[in-house]
Amino acid sequence: MMSDPNSPSPAETENLVVIFLGFAFATFFYGLTFFQMYIYFSRYSKDDMWIKVLVGAIFVLDTTSAGLVSDLVYDYLITMFDVNLEVIYATPAFCIQDLLSVIITLIAQLFFAKRLHTVCRGPTSITSRSVSVVVLFCAFIAFVFGLVSVGQFFQQRELSAFALPSMAVIAGISQGFATVANIIIFIAMYWSLRPARYPDMSLPKGVFENLSMLFVGRGLGLIIIQLAYLGTFVASPGKPYWVAVQMVASRIYANTVLGLLNVREVRRGMGLNEEDTFSDRHDSRDDGLPSALQFRSTKGTQQSSSSSQEAENSRSSEIEEMSKSFTDDHNLESIHSRCSEQLAYDKASLS
């Protein structure tokens, strides 16, 4: 039995399946991006302006990237339907989408570097400065080599060209340094935000909350997606497997940053990080300013509540005693007046 000459070859089928799966997962995670953007702007209306700009920039970049991925799939499945796709040709949409992925990765790593500058024993600590500088260095190297890799993509336009040693080394360095930055972020975040350093910090309860804390709050999800990206590329740089991971990676970075912002406790439109939620500081009601939102610890709150309750009880007791004394005095006055009236009546009748 002879095969149909018009049927796609196994290599072409593999390429199309990988691209379609990457598009499907990328679209799903973009839906999460849109949902998280809505949650942020509806809850944290009084956040700092730089955070709002960050969320807006991530949403715009991720939306543009998702649109380019859709255009890419349309080109491969509709426009280039009669073209042999045994070797994937990088369209302009593919190259620009790769560039946006590099930019989103840099923004997410810069955001975590700023978080580390705060949680690693404060901005003036040598530890926080050292960790932040190392993360920034790795993120910058990954970004620069990522730009070079995107430039090579614009020139070669064939995916198989990444099997060449010169292009594979440049792309591998970019992804390798991005992976190192994510590993440092996870270790530093996990080590810094522990109950021993922040005893008043609220702890997650249950399996789901603990997993969410690890994947989003500590950055474990960034390590997993970046290792998958690096592993598929190193294993087969000329194959399309890493392309599907690359489509999803930028969405993971975007949703991790947005998720970390949305899990914060909200007070009067402002978000409080987990290490600040129950800090032992003065109550924000004393200042009356949303920018000075700081709260007492749970123990202090309970003590103040019990003191206020005792004060209220003592006031109510005093009020009851005063009302009783007032009632007694009023009764005595009424009795005295009645006795006076009775004496006057008796005198009048005798006379």
Side-chain angles (χ1 to χ4, degrees), residues 191-269:
W191 177 257
S192 300
L193 292 173
R194 64 187 194 276
R197 296 189 68 248
Y198 296 97
D200 293 334
M201 182 176 63
S202 59
L203 299 177
K205 299 179 181 179
V207 178
F208 179 77
E209 291 188 5
N210 280 276
L211 290 177
S212 300
M213 182 268 293
L214 289 175
F215 278 85
V216 177
R218 304 299 180 264
L220 181 60
L222 302 183
I223 296 179
I224 294 176
I225 192 64
Q226 193 62 49
L227 285 175
Y229 192 3
L230 178 62
T232 53
F233 180 81
V234 172
S236 301
K239 293 290 184 178
Y241 309 124
W242 63 268
V243 175
V245 181
Q246 183 262 352
M247 291 180 182
V248 180
S250 60
R251 251 101 272 154
I252 297 295
Y253 276 95
N255 278 280
T256 300
V257 175
L258 296 178
L260 187 59
L261 292 173
N262 286 332
V263 297
R264 298 175 302 163
E265 183 177 354
V266 59
R267 287 292 184 272
R268 296 182 183 179

Side-chain angles (χ1 to χ4, degrees), residues 36 40 44 47-58 102-120 128 131-132 135-136 139-140 181-182 185-186 188-189 193 215-219 222 252-264 271-275:
Q36 292 208 76
Y40 174 80
Y44 305 96
D47 251 352
D48 294 335
M49 182 56 64
W50 74 268
I51 302 181
K52 295 181 179 179
V53 173
L54 172 68
V55 174
I58 289 177
V102 173
I103 296 175
I104 293 174
T105 301
L106 176 66
I107 292 176
Q109 291 176 339
L110 291 179
F111 174 78
F112 272 96
K114 188 179 186 308
R115 282 284 293 138
L116 289 174
H117 194 253
T118 303
V119 301
C120 292
S128 64
V131 173
S132 300
V135 172
L136 290 175
F140 179 74
N182 293 343
I185 288 171
F186 173 74
M189 289 287 291
L193 292 173
F215 278 85
V216 177
R218 304 299 180 264
L222 302 183
I252 297 295
Y253 276 95
N255 278 280
T256 300
V257 175
L258 296 178
L260 187 59
L261 292 173
N262 286 332
V263 297
R264 298 175 302 163
L272 297 174
N273 294 318
E274 54 186 312
E275 72 273 12

Side-chain angles (χ1 to χ4, degrees), residues 55-189:
V55 174
I58 289 177
F59 176 71
V60 171
L61 292 173
D62 203 40
T63 301
T64 306
S65 178
L68 292 172
V69 170
S70 300
D71 181 72
L72 174 68
V73 175
Y74 181 84
D75 288 339
Y76 287 149
L77 299 182
I78 305 299
T79 306
M80 303 171 64
F81 181 77
D82 295 331
V83 178
N84 188 353
L85 292 178
E86 290 187 357
V87 177
I88 295 180
Y89 178 80
T91 63
F94 188 96
C95 299
I96 298 174
Q97 188 269 145
D98 192 20
L99 174 62
L100 294 179
S101 178
V102 173
I103 296 175
I104 293 174
T105 301
L106 176 66
I107 292 176
Q109 291 176 339
L110 291 179
F111 174 78
F112 272 96
K114 188 179 186 308
R115 282 284 293 138
L116 289 174
H117 194 253
T118 303
V119 301
C120 292
R121 298 188 179 277
T124 60
S125 173
I126 298 177
T127 303
S128 64
R129 292 178 180 178
S130 302
V131 173
S132 300
V133 167
V134 172
V135 172
L136 290 175
F137 174 77
C138 294
F140 179 74
I141 296 298
F143 177 72
V144 171
F145 279 89
L147 292 180
V148 175
S149 179
V150 172
Q152 291 178 338
F153 235 147
F154 273 104
Q155 293 178 355
Q156 298 293 334
R157 294 297 184 92
E158 288 187 1
L159 184 65
S160 59
F162 271 88
L164 300 175
S166 59
M167 298 184 66
V169 168
I170 292 175
I173 291 175
S174 174
Q175 298 170 24
F177 272 93
T179 304
V180 172
N182 293 343
I183 293 175
I184 296 174
I185 288 171
F186 173 74
I187 295 175
M189 289 287 291

